[in-house]
Amino acid sequence: MRTTTNDYAQSTTPRLVSWFLKNPLVLAFIAGAALGLVYVFWLLPLTHLSGDSSGWLHGDPGSHVSASQLFIQDKWHANPFWTNRLNYPEGINIAFADVIPLMAIPVKLTRGLWSNEVNYFGYWLVLAYTLQGGMAAVLLYLLGVHRKVWLMLGVAFFLLSPAMLFRVYAHTALTSHFLILTAMTLYFAMVRQRLSLSYATGLFALLCLASALVHPYFTAMIYPLFIAALLDFPTYKNLCNKIMVVSFLALVAFSPCLLMLYGLGYFDATSSGGGNFGINSMNLIAPLSGGYFTNFFNHHYAWPNLPPMPYDATGGQYEGYNHLGLGVLLFVLIGVVTQRHNLIAQMAKYKWLLCLLLMLVVYALSDKAFLLGYQLWDIKLPEPISQLAQQFRASGRFFWVMGYCMVLWSILGIMQLKFKSWIVSAILSIGLIIQFLDTSPLRQNVYKATIFNYEKYLHAVVTNNEIIEAVNEANKLYLLPAFGCSPAEFENITPFQVLAAKTATPFNTGLIARGYSSCAVKDQALESGLNPANAYVFLNSHYNLDTLSQRFGRSAVERRCYPFRHTLFCGPDEAISP
């Protein structure tokens, strides 16, 4: 009897599904993802995860959400990542506005299903913690953790990551630490020859593409892990063969990502937005300090509503918040003592990974390294290297890979202790409780930040009906001085950027990582006077009614402008009563 294609498909599909559901790595992923999903819904209020809390209107979150909304409201351009609604009229690549393009593009493609004020950042937090749990489980299972209790206890340590939690409120894209765990999983799968070189190269290429569409910092951490995996791969015939294979596959893996970044204009940004390398670094004490039990070296608060940072020697080392947690630190200490005779052999087995980790730590410390307030070194880098380093100026983040490797090594060390399984389970549980308690202040403060009413800090801009109506009637909204041209930028710009998104009005500036125009270019918007069709916001730190009257005429200014908190607001056509 002849078998048709449909018969073959019908007989094969159940077998594939059955294999998939019986695959232990898949089951481990599902279990870890379920734990991550439960944890994130316990960690954060539903109003924040659904995008409805006022925490999304303030500071970094406010700028990211409103930038994504302005991008989604705009028409499509030749470069799909481009929008003229922000940094009008020059426009900006949304890759520099921290909008998570991997989410922004699909949402824009289906924008008919959403309102103008759609906020997907809370959903990304759910996805990030779910995948964090899933990939942690796969990584642990791959490395031999097959006991269910141990697996779930190990996953919990990764979910309690202080470095990830620290980003939850302020920078959603940077909570995507599952990308690092995925890269670590691929590294060990390659080195243990669970993946072929060709297959692993393809997966790393896809991971680099995905990470670049989330945040380029992750790409800069993930790609070196692939190089380390190629170098630690054990089956090269000779040194010449190794050099050829590593060079070829390194190029193959990164070429698609490089071409995508070039095609989407990642390299077209101006030099604006650079700087701060050596300031946004990690203090060497950071991994040891910053929790409930380990806040020994507090210098000052990173910002309101977040717990104290370790000693900040530069004024920007909040970017280097890399506390490991007391539970992990205790396990690291136990591991050093119990595995002291085997440490050299372990380091030799993963020598290129160790070299990579050390280089990332040095980069995290930057060219101006500090231990507490003591400067360890101050190196003047050659100009080409300095320019390259400025592209990833928040170097303190690059400790994340080392941090997760230390978490992994410490957990595996406990599981290898020559005790009965229930004793090991008890040790893991005690360590997890200590880790949970040590990270509790950070968890509590992040929760408070998400439910805090920030509307009073927005100077009533987004709730003032007269201001909203005026901007809604305007063709464009101008704020001067623009971003980068005055201090206190979050307080000045975020409320009006949120308002521009709320009214779907093009905004002449914005809180942008790089690629924004110079102050001289932005000031050209006033050369032809106050356009009657536009609305203007002048900051009191640079403008007052007298200076505006001298420039544009007292009659026009009195007719259209009036003081509003820390600004002079000029509506289209005529003045608006306060």
Side-chain angles (χ1 to χ4, degrees), residues 381-453:
L381 299 174
E383 187 60 25
I385 297 178
S386 178
Q387 287 297 322
L388 181 62
Q390 295 291 355
Q391 302 310 308
F392 297 99
R393 58 191 181 274
S395 64
R397 302 170 184 173
F398 281 82
F399 184 81
W400 294 345
V401 182
M402 171 63 94
Y404 281 117
C405 285
M406 292 180 70
V407 172
L408 179 64
W409 181 82
S410 67
I411 293 172
L412 293 178
I414 296 298
M415 294 175 181
Q416 291 169 6
L417 293 175
K418 303 300 183 181
F419 296 139
K420 292 182 179 180
S421 61
W422 70 268
I423 297 178
V424 174
S425 298
I427 295 173
L428 288 170
S429 299
I430 293 170
L432 185 62
I433 292 172
I434 294 172
Q435 184 80 358
F436 181 82
L437 293 175
D438 193 44
T439 55
S440 59
L442 180 58
R443 239 182 350 267
Q444 292 167 7
N445 282 278
V446 168
Y447 183 88
K448 291 176 183 177
T450 62
I451 63 173
F452 190 76
N453 184 3

Side-chain angles (χ1 to χ4, degrees), residues 288-291 293-298:
L288 307 179
S289 179
F293 300 115
T294 53
N295 194 34
F296 307 121
F297 306 107
N298 175 47

Side-chain angles (χ1 to χ4, degrees), residues 16 76 92 96 103 117 136 167 183 197 240 260 289 317 350 352 382-383 399 419 470 483 502 529 570-571:
L16 288 174
W76 289 103
I92 193 68
F96 306 127
M103 283 285 283
E117 298 179 61
R167 301 290 173 180
L197 280 176
C240 182
M260 182 196 72
S289 179
Q317 289 189 323
Y350 303 112
W352 289 106
E383 187 60 25
F399 184 81
F419 296 139
F483 176 65
K502 185 180 183 69
C570 303

Side-chain angles (χ1 to χ4, degrees), residues 458-521:
L458 297 178
H459 309 294
V461 173
V462 297
T463 57
N464 186 300
N465 291 330
E466 291 177 295
I467 297 290
I468 293 173
E469 182 180 352
V471 175
N472 202 32
E473 292 177 357
N475 291 339
K476 312 289 186 301
L477 176 61
Y478 287 85
L479 184 145
L480 295 159
F483 176 65
C485 305
S486 69
E489 285 147 349
F490 282 138
E491 295 84 348
N492 293 337
I493 296 177
T494 300
F496 291 99
Q497 184 171 318
V498 171
L499 178 59
K502 185 180 183 69
T503 57
T505 305
F507 191 41
N508 77 308
T509 185
L511 292 165
I512 306 161
R514 65 193 69 203
Y516 48 87
S517 305
S518 68
C519 300
V521 170

